[in-house]
């Protein structure tokens, strides 16, 4: 186990040694790619959510949006 930890420390030291520079073009390209990937991911996940019905739900103005009319509802309204 100590050997694995020593190898990981050595590998980390080699990988992150020195400075990394990124040009503005590469930075903007990476940011744009992340933005577009996030938009695509969000749109794909939105189709997986359950159906949501939007209505007033206060029943003060006879707002029956999103409610299915049944035969008993139409009989009671007469």
């Amino acid at each position: 186990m100590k050997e694995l930890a020593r190898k990981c420390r050595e590998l980390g030291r080699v990988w992150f040694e020195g400075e990394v520079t990124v040009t503005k073009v590469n930075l903007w390209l990476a940011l744009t790619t992340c933005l577009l990937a996030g938009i695509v991911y969000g749109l794909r996940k939105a189709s997986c959510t359950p159906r949501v019905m939007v209505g007033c739900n206060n029943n003060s103005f006879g707002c029956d949006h999103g409610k299915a009319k049944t035969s008993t509802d139409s009989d009671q309204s007469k």
Side-chain angles (χ1 to χ4, degrees), residues 54-67:
V54 178
C56 64
N57 295 328
N58 62 6
N59 293 330
S60 62
F61 298 109
C63 188
D64 291 332
H65 298 295
K67 295 181 181 177

Side-chain angles (χ1 to χ4, degrees), residues 1-2 5 8-10 20 26 28 32-33 35 38 43 48-50 52-54 58 60-61 64-65 67 71-73:
M1 190 68 179
K2 290 182 181 181
C8 287
R9 277 194 303 272
E10 183 65 31
V20 178
N26 288 340
W28 279 107
T32 304
T33 303
L35 176 71
L43 290 174
C48 298
T49 57
V52 176
M53 299 192 94
V54 178
N58 62 6
S60 62
F61 298 109
D64 291 332
H65 298 295
K67 295 181 181 177
S71 60
T72 57
D73 289 341

